[in-house]
Amino acid sequence: HDFNRYAEVLFRKDPLLISFSAAKDLVIKYVFPLAGNEKAIGLSYRNTPDQLPMVEEVIKSGQVQMGGPINLVQGGTAFIGRAPIFLPEGKLWGIISAPLNAQLLFKFSEIEQASEHFNIAIRSYDAQGKAGAVFFGDAAVFDSPDKLLSRIYIGGHSWHIAATAKPDNNGLAPNIYLLRGYFIISAVIFSLFIWFRFEQISRQKELQLKRLEDKRLLESVGRVAKIGGWKIDDNLNFIKWSQQSSLALAEAEDFSPATLADLRSYFSEEDYLLWQAKVKQALKTAKAFNIELQVRPKNAQPLWLRIMSDGQRVLNSSCIAGTIQDVTDKILSAQLIEYQASFDSLTDLPNRRSYQERLELAIKNARRSSNRLAVLFIDLDRFKPINDNYGHQAGDQVLVEAAARLKAQLRDSDTVARLSGDEFALIVNNMTHYQDALSIAEKISQAMQQPYQLSSTSAHLSVSIGIALYPDDADSAVLLLKKADQAMYEVKASGRNGCQFYTHEMQLKSEYRHQLRNKLITALQKRELQPYFQPIIDLKSNKISKCETLARWQQENGDFIPPIEFISLAEESGLINQIDLFMLEESSQQLIAMNSATELSINVSPRLFHTKDNALQNWLTAIEKISQSVNITVEITERLLTDDSEKALAILKKFKSIGIKIAIDDFGSGYSSLNYLVKFPVDLIKIDRSFIKNIGIDPSSETLIETILAMAKRLNIEVVAEGIETQAQLTYLQQHNCAYGQGYFLGKPMSRADFHALLKTH
């Protein structure tokens, strides 16, 4: 249809054209007019020997070529102009041909008028210079010695034109110079006429193909970018509506709204009225607009469309044009980014940033209405062993369940968020009494202690909850959360599994611990901590058999900081690993300097065995080297055996292989199990001081001591009684054959010099 329409225009402009054809893949498939030219349809140039050389030359040169005259298959003689058509990617589409009527061409180019005064003959030569037949005039003209010759180039070929003068009515030949000039002018006019005609046809066809290709390109871009077009008039009637615009509405391509009102049902009333107002304003004031509207199409997911217009009238008409683009992916991506910035991806709870924003808003509302609110800071107790023993997938499962339980305890007006790791925070709004917060905390505590069902087992956890109140404790979001956090750590320090309100004393204690931590870091750098040695006595010989090294921190003013303060702080902050290594190296060097064979007992924190840096490897390297010079006993707690028994077993076996003894400290105070004594290579147990102090007071403690002594004897394990402070306790232990004793009654922890002096007296 497009071909015929284009060819029809050419025919109206050029009466010389016999037909116009297009040969895709060198086979004629389109001819105009079809009437009288039916025989040309299906003609393959590959099977037409007299035309194939010219066709191949056209393709090879990529230029317009003119040949002929040629006898057409549909009848008649014509000069044929041909041009190649290449697609944008360089691939040959085919060729176009325009046969020009030879007789009319001779007539219009004035060659026939020239024939009245001259004998004219024309012969064609191909691109290789091969002469063809004479197609105009008498071939004998080329043989005349008086001939004038001229050569003109026609689309890659050449024509040789020969002419001799005819006698005039008086029998005389025209002036030779007049003959030459007339002949040359006629030849030039003839060649230019032919060339201009076909060049015009070729360029028009190329322009049409380019426009078609541009149209297809724009349509392709529109499909990829999901951009459609529309044109609307002053009455809000659509003059144009593209297929892509229909697809943007999740409709079929043939959907075509007549007016803007036909689209009303696709949008909310507010969005539709916005589009309508923007169009009316643009039609009135030529103001551009760019809006994004949500579409709820039938039987499809919601979409978002960007509708734009520059507001300018189209070619001075009463219409404006614009685009409609599907931007659903962009909107959804932006929403996802916003969600990820505000919510925790695992639990779907608000994250720390979102919680902070909500808390600030809650404080503003509470201040405006003179209400109170509470912040609850919640930390799961003993969550780390879940990850270590069952994997992070199980840990994630626990966190998701914990989040669900927390949400179940709150009202819609309250907020629960996951701050990080196993830490959560709540906002309890509109409290009438502090007991409201306490009641919620107790409900949460009960809910969180219910078993967590994992794939192969169940886990039991508790929570530590700190509570801060507005406006009682603070009037800003940052301070409220900080003070609730401090209250939570007080619960942790007092044994976990509970809740506590923030107090001023707690604040002072928190600030003191913060300052103490900074001092401890400096003390480690300056090596201000020193090992103190406490003797362990052989209760049969009353001789010093062993000693335990204990860290002491003496400040510049001579005062000592209680170990219970800085050791617990070091455990929480991770500085304990540095202390353990320092104590191992420093105490062993001092004992070697005393030239004593006394066994050295050193304490090691369970935290050392779970570090992710090189602290454990550095400590193992040091103790292996030191054990070659000093008899060492490593004192571990029962917690180490429960946290990661397989890892602990591997390390303890390595100790045994290099002659290091293993002692369980504070035996009986924790989760003591006979299984530990069988599974692990234990050499010594130290009975906890809580039992020793009850000797002579509590018969059950004495029974337990006697049971431990009997069991140890059967297992060939040595026993040290800790915390001996009286003669009665010492006598009791000696009577029941306890091998070793330790305590203030036998000797306090002492400096290197004092211990060295004590060794000499013994």
Side-chain angles (χ1 to χ4, degrees):
H1 177 73
D2 290 339
F3 177 84
N4 290 342
R5 184 171 55 190
Y6 171 71
E8 186 178 7
V9 174
L10 290 179
F11 269 74
R12 286 201 300 266
K13 294 180 179 180
D14 201 325
L16 294 181
L17 277 175
I18 296 175
S19 64
F20 187 75
S21 63
K24 183 180 181 182
D25 298 326
L26 304 188
V27 177
I28 296 177
K29 296 183 178 180
Y30 308 99
V31 175
F32 184 89
L34 184 60
N37 297 299
E38 292 89 350
K39 292 183 179 180
I41 295 292
L43 175 69
S44 172
Y45 290 125
R46 293 186 179 90
N47 301 325
T48 310
D50 59 332
Q51 298 190 44
L52 183 58
M54 178 185 176
V55 170
E56 291 176 340
E57 182 64 28
V58 166
I59 296 171
K60 181 180 179 181
S61 67
Q63 303 295 323
V64 176
Q65 301 277 355
M66 175 68 75
I70 294 174
N71 294 323
L72 302 176
V73 294
Q74 62 266 43
T77 304
F79 293 98
I80 298 183
R82 291 191 174 100
I85 301 298
F86 292 96
L87 298 176
E89 61 269 22
K91 182 181 178 182
L92 177 71
W93 179 87
I95 64 172
I96 56 172
S97 301
L100 302 177
N101 189 300
Q103 296 303 319
L104 291 177
L105 180 62
F106 293 147
K107 179 179 179 180
F108 291 163
S109 63
E110 300 185 359
I111 194 73
E112 289 187 350
Q113 290 88 329
S115 298
E116 296 177 2
H117 305 282
F118 306 101
N119 298 310
I120 297 176
I122 306 175
R123 169 181 287 161
S124 67
Y125 286 78
D126 62 19
Q128 286 73 39
K130 182 180 179 181
V134 173
F135 60 82
F136 184 87
D138 187 355
V141 176
F142 281 96
D143 298 327
S144 171
D146 299 326
K147 67 180 179 294
L148 290 175
L149 281 174
S150 179
R151 179 183 299 176
I152 60 176
Y153 292 92
I154 307 293
H157 293 64
S158 62
W159 288 355
H160 290 202
I161 303 176
T164 58
K166 289 182 179 180
D168 59 14
N169 294 332
N170 297 321
L172 299 175
N175 181 282
I176 189 63
Y177 296 106
L178 179 62
L179 170 64
R180 186 185 303 273
Y182 190 86
F183 171 69
I184 291 174
I185 291 172
S186 297
V188 170
I189 290 174
F190 180 59
S191 63
L192 287 178
F193 180 84
I194 295 174
W195 184 254
F196 175 76
R197 283 297 179 90
F198 187 71
E199 184 75 8
Q200 184 181 42
I201 293 172
S202 177
R203 291 193 180 280
Q204 286 178 340
K205 182 59 180 176
E206 287 180 357
L207 181 60
Q208 182 208 28
L209 288 175
K210 185 176 185 304
R211 287 175 177 172
L212 180 61
E213 191 62 35
D214 289 345
K215 178 182 177 183
R216 290 173 179 170
L217 176 62
L218 288 174
E219 291 175 350
S220 177
V221 170
R223 285 192 299 272
V224 173
K226 300 181 180 180
I227 299 177
W230 51 266
K231 187 191 295 184
I232 200 167
D233 64 14
D234 287 332
N235 297 317
L236 304 188
N237 297 317
F238 282 114
I239 307 304
K240 285 191 177 180
W241 179 267
S242 72
Q243 293 178 346
Q244 189 58 45
S245 296
S246 299
L247 296 177
L249 289 171
E251 290 287 357
E253 291 183 352
D254 59 357
F255 172 75
S256 182
T259 68
L260 187 61
D262 291 342
L263 303 179
R264 192 169 199 145
S265 62
Y266 290 86
F267 303 90
S268 68
E269 188 66 13
E270 181 182 359
D271 281 357
Y272 170 75
L273 292 177
L274 174 62
W275 188 6
Q276 183 187 69
K278 291 292 184 181
V279 170
K280 288 182 177 180
Q281 184 181 36
L283 288 165
K284 185 177 181 180
T285 64
K287 184 177 181 180
F289 64 86
N290 181 346
I291 56 177
E292 290 181 355
L293 308 179
Q294 185 177 7
V295 182
R296 296 189 178 275
K298 305 166 186 175
N299 304 320
Q301 293 296 321
L303 305 171
W304 280 265
L305 303 180
R306 174 179 290 162
I307 302 171
M308 301 173 58
S309 174
D310 62 3
Q312 302 300 313
R313 299 280 179 166
V314 179
L315 300 176
N316 297 321
S317 68
S318 61
C319 304
I320 62 168
T323 60
I324 182 169
Q325 181 182 13
D326 185 345
V327 291
T328 304
D329 292 342
K330 168 183 168 292
I331 297 295
L332 292 179
S333 296
Q335 290 179 348
L336 177 60
I337 292 172
E338 177 62 26
Y339 177 84
Q340 291 174 338
S342 302
F343 288 84
D344 173 54
S345 60
L346 176 64
T347 63
D348 287 332
L349 294 179
N351 59 16
R352 180 181 289 271
R353 169 194 163 192
S354 181
Y355 178 83
Q356 192 80 15
E357 293 173 351
R358 295 188 185 194
L359 181 54
E360 290 172 354
L361 180 60
I363 291 173
K364 289 181 181 178
N365 292 335
R367 184 181 296 120
R368 188 181 303 114
S369 58
S370 299
N371 284 332
R372 304 172 75 189
L373 64 83
V375 168
L376 278 64
F377 198 106
I378 303 170
D379 184 89
L380 301 183
D381 297 331
R382 304 188 190 281
F383 174 74
K384 186 176 183 300
I386 299 292
N387 280 333
D388 293 341
N389 295 326
Y390 303 110
H392 287 277
Q393 185 174 0
D396 290 347
Q397 185 178 342
V398 169
L399 292 172
V400 171
E401 175 62 22
R405 294 182 187 184
L406 289 172
K407 286 192 290 187
Q409 305 305 317
L410 298 183
R411 302 164 298 178
D412 292 339
S413 59
D414 299 330
T415 295
V416 57
R418 182 188 179 201
L419 301 186
S420 64
D422 59 344
E423 294 180 340
F424 298 85
L426 276 63
I427 303 172
V428 181
N429 291 301
N430 302 322
M431 288 198 322
T432 57
H433 195 273
Y434 77 91
Q435 287 288 351
D436 295 342
L438 184 59
S439 176
I440 290 176
E442 290 173 348
K443 290 180 181 178
I444 289 173
S445 182
Q446 292 175 7
M448 302 297 267
Q449 291 184 64
Q450 298 301 313
Y452 292 83
Q453 297 300 323
L454 305 179
S455 57
S456 59
T457 186
S458 60
H460 296 266
L461 298 176
S462 60
V463 290
S464 297
I465 305 175
I467 307 172
L469 305 177
Y470 169 86
D472 308 67
D473 299 322
D475 61 357
S476 73
V478 173
L479 287 178
L480 269 177
L481 188 60
K482 178 181 178 182
K483 292 184 176 183
D485 186 15
Q486 292 170 352
M488 183 275 294
Y489 270 104
E490 283 299 314
V491 179
K492 290 281 190 184
S494 61
R496 302 182 176 89
N497 189 21
C499 63
Q500 181 169 321
F501 285 89
Y502 171 82
T503 65
H504 181 64
E505 290 180 1
M506 192 187 308
Q507 170 68 19
L508 295 177
K509 184 182 289 187
S510 175
E511 292 175 356
Y512 170 74
R513 286 172 64 81
H514 179 71
Q515 295 170 2
L516 188 64
R517 179 182 180 275
N518 292 337
K519 289 182 179 179
L520 182 57
I521 294 173
T522 303
L524 284 169
Q525 294 172 346
K526 294 182 177 180
R527 303 178 72 85
E528 292 178 357
L529 270 64
Q530 288 298 320
Y532 269 50
F533 301 90
Q534 184 174 26
I536 300 175
I537 306 299
D538 185 328
L539 297 185
K540 288 184 178 180
S541 64
N542 289 324
K543 299 287 186 180
I544 298 175
S545 174
K546 313 172 190 291
C547 66
E548 180 180 359
T549 179
L550 302 165
R552 292 295 182 263
W553 182 8
Q554 187 175 22
Q555 300 181 94
E556 293 180 357
N557 61 6
D559 294 338
F560 283 88
I561 296 177
I564 192 173
E565 291 187 7
F566 74 84
I567 292 298
S568 61
L569 179 62
E571 285 275 4
E572 294 174 10
S573 62
L575 295 172
I576 193 66
N577 294 341
Q578 298 181 43
I579 293 177
D580 284 343
L581 181 60
F582 169 77
M583 291 297 295
L584 170 65
E585 295 175 338
E586 187 68 17
S587 58
S588 60
Q589 290 175 8
Q590 293 186 15
L591 195 62
I592 292 172
M594 297 177 200
N595 196 24
S596 170
T598 306
E599 288 186 16
L600 178 65
S601 286
I602 61 169
N603 293 281
V604 61
S605 167
R607 187 174 184 127
L608 179 66
F609 292 84
H610 300 292
T611 181
K612 297 186 183 299
D613 55 20
N614 295 325
L616 177 59
Q617 186 58 48
N618 294 338
W619 187 85
L620 291 173
T621 300
I623 198 171
E624 185 172 359
K625 180 180 179 181
I626 292 170
S627 66
Q628 299 174 11
S629 306
V630 179
N631 293 322
I632 296 179
T633 298
V634 174
E635 296 189 13
I636 62 174
T637 62
E638 296 172 33
R639 197 180 82 189
L640 172 62
L641 306 181
T642 59
D643 284 351
D644 193 346
S645 60
E646 295 303 321
K647 184 175 183 180
L649 179 59
I651 294 175
L652 297 183
K653 284 183 176 180
K654 182 175 181 180
F655 287 166
K656 293 291 289 186
S657 68
I658 57 177
I660 297 174
K661 293 182 179 180
I662 309 300
I664 298 181
D665 197 12
D666 302 330
F667 189 80
S669 64
Y671 302 93
S672 300
S673 170
L674 293 178
N675 185 50
Y676 298 155
L677 304 181
V678 176
K679 180 178 180 180
F680 296 96
V682 177
D683 299 286
L684 185 145
I685 56 178
K686 302 183 75 174
I687 302 175
D688 188 66
R689 67 184 66 249
S690 63
F691 302 111
I692 304 302
K693 72 178 182 179
N694 286 327
I695 292 175
I697 301 174
D698 181 9
S700 61
S701 293
E702 294 179 359
T703 300
L704 184 57
I705 292 171
E706 293 170 13
T707 301
I708 293 174
L709 291 171
M711 175 190 63
K713 183 177 181 180
R714 295 292 298 272
L715 294 173
N716 197 28
I717 295 175
E718 294 180 335
V719 178
V720 175
E722 293 185 291
I724 300 175
E725 297 182 355
T726 67
Q727 180 62 51
Q729 294 170 356
L730 175 60
T731 301
Y732 173 86
L733 292 167
Q734 288 174 330
Q735 289 174 350
H736 289 83
N737 299 315
C738 181
Y740 302 97
Q742 180 181 356
Y744 277 20
F745 184 74
L746 302 176
K748 295 181 179 181
M750 57 194 73
S751 66
R752 166 187 173 180
D754 291 341
F755 184 66
H756 193 194
L758 181 63
L759 286 176
K760 290 180 179 179
T761 62
H762 275 247

